[in-house]
């Protein structure tokens, strides 16, 4: 049996405790602000076409990591006019702590009922949270997050509760069965240059040998590069993986030294479009990439 993290689904029918009645907007609309692009995709799938509900995205930048994100003036204005804030949870939005304390908006935490894994540690990088918040890259977690959004919006806007539920169910039906769960990969070992693939690896029966958080202004140390090169040789790994919005400097150095190929995965931290389809496309890209690189 493949090792997979456990999703705690008990309590999905309960209303989110963090939800409070939204403030009446001057324009009569319910302004919903999603913190990240994956949350925005899930929220627009659930609330698509609902009269009087506007879903806006807070952070949509080509970034691999939000640990050090700084709110802009435009971000602050978006938070101020929001009636509902949709958060990924798990500590991903530590940068919102001060803004949340000053906001009167209702908060929906999409990590509700997801079993969180401990955060991976990295040399020279400080994590504010003890948990790994990158769970949206797993189908089962996406199901729970869609449930949480639909339940939260239904509690705040009961007149459209049936529509939210129906559209949530429609989005869930589109989530594919991941072929990685059935594939027999020639190499089941994963080395990534972002720490966001821990849930993805466990869910798909992969062993995450090393995860290096390397982004703009931060590169892997010489010791880490030496360690990764040794792992590539020891386990005869044909490919290492960078992140769409991250740096590939260290990966290129390791590839030159070991002959391993470089492939790119997508954390879905930015993009174009709304609804569930961009999420499905990105997940398919990740699956196809793994199958090509390690199959």
């Amino acid at each position: 049996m493949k090792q997979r993290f456990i999703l705690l689904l008990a309590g999905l029918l309960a209303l989110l405790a963090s939800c409070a009645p939204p403030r009446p907007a001057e324009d009569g609309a319910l302004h919903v602000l999603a913190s990240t692009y994956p949350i925005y995709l899930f929220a627009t799938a659930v609330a698509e076409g609902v009269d009087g509900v506007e879903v806006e995205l807070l952070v949509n930048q080509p970034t691999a990591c939000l640990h050090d994100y700084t709110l802009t003036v435009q971000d602050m204005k978006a938070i101020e006019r929001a009636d509902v804030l949709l958060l990924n949870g798990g500590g991903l939005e530590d940068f919102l702590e001060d803004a949340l304390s000053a906001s009167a908006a209702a908060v929906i935490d999409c990590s509700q009922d997801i079993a969180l894994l401990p955060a991976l540690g990295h040399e020279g990088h400080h994590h504010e949270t003890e948990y790994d918040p990158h769970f949206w890259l797993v189908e089962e977690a996406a199901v729970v997050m869609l449930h949480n959004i639909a339940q939260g919006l239904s509690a705040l806007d009961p007149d459209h509760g049936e529509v939210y539920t129906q559209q949530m169910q429609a989005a869930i039906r589109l989530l594919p069965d991941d072929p990685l769960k059935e594939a027999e990969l020639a190499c089941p070992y994963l080395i990534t240059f972002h720490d966001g693939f821990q849930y993805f690896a466990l869910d798909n029966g992969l062993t995450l040998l090393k995860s290096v958080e390397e982004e703009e202004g931060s590169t892997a140390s010489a010791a880490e590069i030496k360690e990764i090169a040794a792992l590539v040789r020891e386990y005869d790994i044909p490919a290492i993986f960078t992140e769409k919005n991250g740096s590939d400097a260290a990966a290129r150095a390791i590839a030159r030294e070991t002959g391993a190929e470089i492939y790119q995965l997508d954390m879905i931290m930015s993009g174009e479009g709304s609804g569930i389809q961009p999420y499905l496309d990105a997940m398919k890209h990740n699956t196809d990439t793994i199958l090509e690189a390690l199959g």
Side-chain angles (χ1 to χ4, degrees):
M1 297 292 293
K2 297 181 181 179
Q3 182 181 13
R4 302 171 65 184
F5 78 95
I6 300 174
L7 291 170
L8 304 179
L9 294 175
L12 277 177
L13 297 180
L15 296 178
L16 298 179
S18 60
C19 291
R23 300 172 297 161
E26 293 182 1
D27 59 4
L30 183 67
H31 296 280
V32 180
L33 182 63
S35 62
T36 66
Y37 190 55
I39 303 301
Y40 173 76
L41 296 180
F42 296 153
T44 50
V46 170
E48 182 180 5
V50 177
D51 187 44
V53 178
E54 297 180 355
V55 181
E56 187 178 355
L57 173 58
L58 181 63
V59 181
N60 186 21
Q61 295 187 1
T63 178
C65 179
L66 292 179
H67 297 303
D68 301 315
Y69 184 77
T70 301
L71 291 171
T72 65
V73 173
Q74 184 177 353
D75 293 337
M76 295 300 295
K77 290 180 178 178
I79 295 170
E80 183 179 354
R81 64 176 174 266
D83 301 308
V84 186
L85 292 172
L86 299 179
L87 304 183
N88 179 84
L92 187 68
E93 292 94 352
D94 287 335
F95 64 92
L96 278 177
E97 183 176 355
D98 292 339
L100 288 176
S101 64
S103 172
V107 175
I108 297 173
D109 184 347
C110 294
S111 69
Q112 180 84 15
D113 296 316
I114 294 178
L116 302 179
L117 297 173
L120 298 173
H122 298 278
E123 298 177 10
H125 191 281
H126 175 62
H127 281 272
E128 298 293 336
T129 175
E130 59 181 311
Y131 298 112
D132 183 345
H134 306 94
F135 40 77
W136 65 85
L137 290 172
V138 172
E139 177 191 343
E140 289 88 343
V143 170
V144 178
M145 296 168 82
L146 284 160
H147 268 284
N148 288 337
I149 292 170
Q151 290 171 358
L153 292 180
S154 295
L156 297 168
D157 181 24
D159 289 345
H160 296 114
E162 185 175 350
V163 178
Y164 295 135
T165 300
Q166 290 174 349
Q167 298 194 151
M168 169 203 71
Q169 294 170 344
I172 288 173
R173 285 194 294 270
L174 293 174
L175 296 175
D177 293 328
D178 194 335
L180 282 179
K181 296 175 183 178
E182 304 299 331
E184 294 185 7
L185 297 175
C187 177
Y189 302 110
L190 201 63
I191 292 178
T192 65
F193 281 80
H194 189 275
D195 66 344
F197 293 94
Q198 181 179 196
Y199 293 93
F200 180 87
L202 285 173
D203 187 58
N204 289 292
L206 298 168
T207 299
L208 186 60
L209 290 178
K210 182 70 175 177
S211 178
V212 181
E213 186 161 346
E214 186 180 55
E215 56 200 55
E216 193 68 30
S218 172
T219 59
S221 67
E224 282 183 311
I225 291 175
K226 183 178 180 180
E227 177 186 357
I228 294 170
L231 288 172
V232 169
R233 296 189 184 96
E234 179 181 355
Y235 290 90
D236 195 22
I237 298 173
I240 53 181
F241 299 89
T242 60
E243 201 280 319
K244 180 179 177 181
N245 296 318
S247 168
D248 67 351
R252 285 188 281 107
I254 293 167
R256 287 193 299 268
E257 184 175 342
T258 65
E261 293 190 56
I262 299 174
Y263 288 81
Q264 190 178 82
L265 299 176
D266 190 350
M267 287 285 297
I268 327 178
M269 290 304 294
S270 63
E272 300 291 336
S274 60
I276 199 67
Q277 192 59 51
Y279 176 81
L280 300 177
D281 292 342
M283 292 295 285
K284 184 177 187 304
H285 163 80
N286 288 341
T287 296
D288 292 346
T289 300
I290 294 289
L291 288 173
E292 179 183 346
L294 301 180

